[in-house]
Amino acid sequence: MVNSVVLGAQWGDEGKGKIVDVLSEKADIVARYQGGANAGHTVVIGENSYILHLIPSGILRRDTICVIGNGVVLSLESLMEEIETLTQLGISIGRNLLISDRAHLIMPYHYLVEAADELNPNKIGTTRRGVGPAYVDKMHRQMGIRVGDLFEPELFAEKLDYNLDRKMLQIPSIRDQIDVKDLISQYRDLANRIAHHVTDTSVILHQAHKDGKSMLFEGAQGTLLDIDFGTYPYVTSSNTTVGGVCTGLGIGPQLIDEVIGVVKAYTTRVGEGPFPTEFPEMLGSRIREIGKEYGATTGRPRRCGWLDGVALRYAMRINGMTRLAITKLDVLDTLETIQVAIAYECDGKTITEMPASLEQLHRCTPIYESLPGWCVPTVSATCYEELPANARAYLCRIEEITETPIQLVSVGARRDQTIMLH
């Protein structure tokens, strides 16, 4: 029995969905510990693509139990759409999905609040899925509505009324946009539809551990979007790093055996914020098209850049990563030269650690190391030895920079385009 954490080591979009899907073959339980429907995990099996936003990627394995933990903010509308889509694609949900009764809900007014926030000239560039405002209400304590509240109708109605009064301070017309009676009726129906999925998931996970079952803890977004350790304020509203596993699932750290950091063979980010290794526009457009770098949730084009060794070392330290999973190696197949940032130059000094100051990070210029490309396709490689020598050298350099061994390499979108190293 091994319990593993799979999390993003960059700005998200690293391909965690595929890695979780591959590793879940040997997992009894896959549990999501933070984030909301602002995450998008794409899994390709044969000719079929599955895009998941809330349900863990393990749902594509028939016998795997999937858990949405208390650290997730849950949009019931999005969840229902996802269940319906999976059902149409022949994926049976049944009782394989469990939802924490302590998870907080994203309510319709959260979308309105976030849309208003994004009209600000200093906008962050969110997905407008209501995630940030839902976490704000959670931390406010009096305003958070949890899944368990759905089954106490009077309490739910009371909280809803209180929240709308408070939101009127920001959006005076909010009661004109939301019909309270309709909303209560809608959520009564949603509560009935999810009732058999709702439970104390912390108890389930502890019992699974006692029973010797293997668990996979799935993160959303990436390390550099963590609310504490990311490029604040251009971050998400939850702890995407390994600490979020314990608080987001109600388990102790002794249940974690290994931490697998998912790393794209280059770097991408979506939205505003500093990006030291960002490509020039022409190369950025080229890699974006080859790698299909468009958001699974919003369709927004992703900004692309060279691999950032400074950021990766930082992610390794923050998360205590024990192994790496490298994705999209094949996207670099046509490049004659590949660069990796091994340090930054800032104000005449060389720095090797991520600065907390956003202004300082904006002033940083990458110090690159150049490596020869391989200029041959890698998509049909089925083992490490079949990769070109320069591709293997590139992977070895990543291991040296991060001081972390690589466990697997992805050379294509499909499940079977995965090379296991250890």
Side-chain angles (χ1 to χ4, degrees), residues 16 24 35 109 160 194-195 225 264 338 345:
K16 296 179 293 298
S24 65
Y109 49 77
L160 183 59
I194 67 166
L225 294 176
K264 198 175 284 185
I338 295 170
E345 188 279 325

Side-chain angles (χ1 to χ4, degrees), residues 46 129 159 163 168 178 180 235 291:
R129 294 301 178 102
K159 284 191 171 185
N163 283 358
M168 286 178 69
I178 293 177
V180 175
V235 293

Side-chain angles (χ1 to χ4, degrees), residues 188-295:
R188 187 184 301 121
D189 176 61
L190 289 169
N192 291 333
R193 294 171 67 184
I194 67 166
H196 62 288
H197 296 296
V198 176
T199 187
D200 186 337
T201 52
S202 174
V203 172
I204 300 294
L205 295 176
H206 276 268
Q207 188 58 51
H209 179 68
K210 287 182 180 180
D211 293 342
K213 296 188 181 297
S214 177
M215 295 184 283
L216 197 58
F217 307 127
E218 176 189 71
Q221 290 90 34
T223 295
L224 299 178
L225 294 176
D226 185 274
I227 188 68
D228 287 299
F229 294 102
T231 50
Y232 189 89
Y234 298 102
V235 293
T236 194
S237 302
S238 59
N239 286 113
T240 61
T241 44
V242 71
V245 177
C246 297
T247 57
L249 292 172
I251 63 170
Q254 75 276 13
L255 267 63
I256 299 173
D257 297 308
E258 63 177 8
V259 181
I260 301 169
V262 185
V263 179
K264 198 175 284 185
Y266 45 103
T267 309
T268 62
R269 83 167 296 174
V270 174
E272 309 296 326
F275 187 0
T277 64
E278 188 166 10
F279 289 139
E281 179 54 36
M282 186 174 295
L283 181 56
S285 297
R286 175 183 169 189
I287 295 299
R288 185 180 303 117
E289 294 308 312
I290 295 173
K292 298 180 173 59
E293 294 295 355
Y294 295 90

Side-chain angles (χ1 to χ4, degrees), residues 60-78:
L60 302 176
R61 303 280 184 181
R62 183 190 307 174
D63 299 322
T64 302
I65 300 298
C66 291
V67 171
I68 295 177
N70 58 276
V72 175
V73 285
L74 186 61
S75 163
L76 293 183
E77 296 88 349
S78 296

Side-chain angles (χ1 to χ4, degrees), residues 35-352:
N38 56 340
H41 291 169
T42 302
V43 179
V44 180
I45 304 173
E47 300 300 318
N48 296 322
S49 292
Y50 304 88
I51 299 178
L52 304 165
H53 299 284
L54 287 164
I55 300 175
S57 304
I59 201 68
L60 302 176
R61 303 280 184 181
R62 183 190 307 174
D63 299 322
T64 302
I65 300 298
C66 291
V67 171
I68 295 177
N70 58 276
V72 175
V73 285
L74 186 61
S75 163
L76 293 183
E77 296 88 349
S78 296
L79 178 65
M80 289 300 110
E81 289 177 11
E82 201 162 311
I83 289 174
E84 185 176 335
T85 299
L86 287 171
T87 302
Q88 290 174 353
L89 291 171
I91 304 298
S92 175
I93 304 299
R95 295 192 178 272
N96 284 15
L97 176 64
L98 301 176
I99 301 169
S100 171
D101 52 9
R102 290 177 168 85
H104 280 248
L105 294 174
I106 296 176
M107 301 298 293
Y109 49 77
H110 289 133
Y111 301 104
L112 300 176
V113 170
E114 188 163 35
D117 287 341
E118 285 296 291
L119 295 175
N120 191 308
N122 296 322
K123 66 180 182 179
I124 293 172
T126 73
T127 59
R128 302 195 180 197
R129 294 301 178 102
V131 170
Y135 276 117
V136 168
D137 283 1
K138 175 179 179 176
M139 293 305 175
H140 188 278
R141 296 169 293 176
Q142 291 175 299
M143 300 175 72
I145 298 179
R146 304 196 295 182
V147 169
D149 296 334
L150 291 169
F151 305 99
E152 299 184 48
E154 290 185 7
L155 176 63
F156 176 75
E158 186 180 302
K159 284 191 171 185
L160 183 59
D161 197 52
Y162 175 80
N163 283 358
L164 288 174
D165 281 345
R166 293 298 299 259
K167 301 304 178 193
M168 286 178 69
L169 298 175
Q170 184 175 356
I171 306 175
S173 64
I174 199 161
R175 281 192 178 272
D176 296 327
Q177 299 180 61
I178 293 177
D179 187 304
V180 175
K181 288 184 179 179
D182 284 351
L183 194 59
I184 290 174
S185 175
Q186 176 190 351
Y187 273 72
R188 187 184 301 121
D189 176 61
L190 289 169
N192 291 333
R193 294 171 67 184
I194 67 166
H196 62 288
H197 296 296
V198 176
T199 187
D200 186 337
T201 52
S202 174
V203 172
I204 300 294
L205 295 176
H206 276 268
Q207 188 58 51
H209 179 68
K210 287 182 180 180
D211 293 342
K213 296 188 181 297
S214 177
M215 295 184 283
L216 197 58
F217 307 127
E218 176 189 71
Q221 290 90 34
T223 295
L224 299 178
L225 294 176
D226 185 274
I227 188 68
D228 287 299
F229 294 102
T231 50
Y232 189 89
Y234 298 102
V235 293
T236 194
S237 302
S238 59
N239 286 113
T240 61
T241 44
V242 71
V245 177
C246 297
T247 57
L249 292 172
I251 63 170
Q254 75 276 13
L255 267 63
I256 299 173
D257 297 308
E258 63 177 8
V259 181
I260 301 169
V262 185
V263 179
K264 198 175 284 185
Y266 45 103
T267 309
T268 62
R269 83 167 296 174
V270 174
E272 309 296 326
F275 187 0
T277 64
E278 188 166 10
F279 289 139
E281 179 54 36
M282 186 174 295
L283 181 56
S285 297
R286 175 183 169 189
I287 295 299
R288 185 180 303 117
E289 294 308 312
I290 295 173
K292 298 180 173 59
E293 294 295 355
Y294 295 90
T297 299
T298 63
R300 289 186 298 177
R302 295 172 185 146
R303 300 158 63 191
C304 302
W306 297 114
L307 195 68
D308 190 331
V310 178
L312 285 185
R313 283 194 300 268
Y314 177 71
M316 180 272 298
R317 173 167 60 82
I318 295 299
N319 293 296
M321 294 188 306
T322 55
R323 294 190 186 277
L324 299 179
I326 307 298
T327 61
K328 292 199 170 185
L329 183 69
D330 55 296
V331 176
L332 304 182
D333 285 352
T334 62
L335 299 183
E336 294 183 359
T337 302
I338 295 170
Q339 299 198 87
V340 181
I342 55 173
Y344 298 148
E345 188 279 325
C346 186
D347 302 330
K349 296 180 180 178
T350 298
I351 60 174
T352 57

